[in-house]
Amino acid sequence: AQTVTQSQPEMSVQEAETVTLSCTYDTSESDYYLFWYKQPPSRQMILVIRQEAYKQQNATENRFSVNFQKAAKSFSLKISDSQLGDAAMYFCAYRRGYANAGGTSYGKLTFGQGTILTVHP
Amino acid sequence: EAGVAQSPRYKIIEKRQSVAFWCNPISGHATLYWYQQILGQGPKLLIQFQNNGVVDDSQLPKDRFSAERLKGVDSTLKIQPAKLEDSAVYLCASSLDDGAGDNEQFFGPGTRLTVL
């Protein structure tokens, strides 16, 4: 079974600074996707960024970027120029790829425990 | 485009009572998921539907939880009878699954259940 571990229960950053959230995962599969989700107090889970395992290039979305180390099974999220609106719970998640799932059961997300990010003005 | 709708947003019940949650996915989305998120933890999949068929319910406590997705659209999740440990946020999500491999999940706002 796949597992996702976030070892930082809480992180804090000053506004406009950079912060990195850590995530490690364990899998024996070769085809999979990794995600970072943001969950503000409103509870709405919002996709921040995704990475396909077969792509060597790290994904980037505006101020958000990842450091994907496939051999080390590490997937960290870097937030640059932090803003007050970035404050939330962040979850790392794993999803098996179609090639490993035998067809229809590949949508399930396996989440880490989450990291609470506080942004100080 | 309307998002995933869930109701109610909050529910407080006594243990051993019954409760039901409702989810309306994004129009046209074939796959619907129910996740349970206990306070301080990441969401855990309870059940996954593809249209109106169950794909994965391996983590659903079937002695007390049930779910259905009639006509492949709306879904209801029921707990009967509820236990204290069922206190959690219940998240519904849906994805298009158009066969092209992109099945990003869109989440609803969740229902916070408190069992006293």
Side-chain angles (χ1 to χ4, degrees), chain B residues 18-82:
Chain B
S18 301
V19 65
F21 312 127
W22 174 81
C23 173
N24 181 232
I26 293 173
S27 178
H29 279 198
T31 306
L32 186 146
Y33 310 81
W34 283 102
Y35 291 88
Q36 179 192 56
Q37 185 178 14
I38 294 173
L39 185 64
Q41 299 181 18
K44 180 187 77 173
L45 180 74
L46 290 175
I47 189 167
Q48 176 184 347
F49 292 95
Q50 179 93 12
N51 296 308
N52 61 350
V54 175
V55 174
D56 185 347
D57 63 355
S58 57
Q59 297 295 302
L60 187 73
K62 298 180 184 64
D63 58 333
R64 298 183 301 106
F65 285 66
S66 65
E68 60 181 8
R69 189 183 185 197
L70 298 176
K71 301 180 181 179
V73 183
D74 293 7
S75 177
T76 56
L77 176 69
K78 297 179 181 177
I79 308 175
Q80 180 179 12

Side-chain angles (χ1 to χ4, degrees), chain A residues 39 43-44 91 95 107 109, chain B residues 35 37 103 105 107 109-110:
Chain A
Q39 188 178 42
R43 301 199 303 265
Q44 190 88 37
F91 289 99
R95 193 194 86 204
L109 290 169
Chain B
Y35 291 88
Q37 185 178 14
N103 66 344
Q105 290 184 34
F107 285 81

